[in-house]
């Protein structure tokens, strides 16, 4: 067995519609086919790959410290992405990864999950 890549992230949320809209608007994912699991949710796609799975819960998940600190995407289009976030008042922290040709744009989705979007330094 050989692990090749992370397939998707699964997020529990009490803000399903808001989360769908956020991932569509800011990360360019689209709400697509999801099997009928008997609970509310959504699968958000880039192309034909469901990258973010949302599971609807009745109440906010209790957490003092998350066990999963963040998840990340690799992307292109740094300037357009950062400008879109700035225009909509989304707080970011931009970090150059020491020793690697990567710039991370750190942000939180509308439910407080830490995400970073990685860009090649030659785009910055």
């Amino acid at each position: 067995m050989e692990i090749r890549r992370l397939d998707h992230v699964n997020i529990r949320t009490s803000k399903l519609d808001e989360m769908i809209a956020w991932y569509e608007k800011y990360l360019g994912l689209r709400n697509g086919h999801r099997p009928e699991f008997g609970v509310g949710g959504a699968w958000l796609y880039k192309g034909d790959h469901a990258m973010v799975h949302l599971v609807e819960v009745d109440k906010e998940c209790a957490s003092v410290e998350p066990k999963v600190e963040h998840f990340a995407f690799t992307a292109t289009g740094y300037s357009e992405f950062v400008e879109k976030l700035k225009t909509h008042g989304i707080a970011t922290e931009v970090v150059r990864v020491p020793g690697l040709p990567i710039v991370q744009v750190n942000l939180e989705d509308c439910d407080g999950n830490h995400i970073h979007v990685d860009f090649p330094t030659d785009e910055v």
Side-chain angles (χ1 to χ4, degrees), residues 96-117:
R96 287 185 182 262
V97 177
L100 294 175
I102 298 170
V103 173
Q104 298 174 336
V105 178
N106 290 272
L107 66 152
E108 290 185 354
D109 68 19
C110 61
D111 214 7
N113 298 295
H114 176 196
I115 303 165
H116 65 78
V117 182

Side-chain angles (χ1 to χ4, degrees), residues 41-108:
W43 282 9
L44 302 168
Y45 288 77
K46 182 63 177 176
D48 62 357
H49 185 78
M51 300 178 82
V52 176
H53 295 186
L54 301 175
V55 175
E56 188 171 33
V57 295
D58 292 332
K59 61 182 179 171
E60 182 69 24
C61 299
S63 176
V64 176
E65 293 271 339
K67 291 187 184 234
V68 175
E69 195 282 327
H70 73 272
F71 57 95
F73 297 101
T74 300
T76 59
Y78 173 85
S79 296
E80 298 85 357
F81 182 63
V82 170
E83 185 59 34
K84 177 193 281 188
L85 298 175
K86 184 177 179 180
T87 298
H88 292 280
I90 306 280
T92 63
E93 179 186 10
V94 177
V95 176
R96 287 185 182 262
V97 177
L100 294 175
I102 298 170
V103 173
Q104 298 174 336
V105 178
N106 290 272
L107 66 152
E108 290 185 354

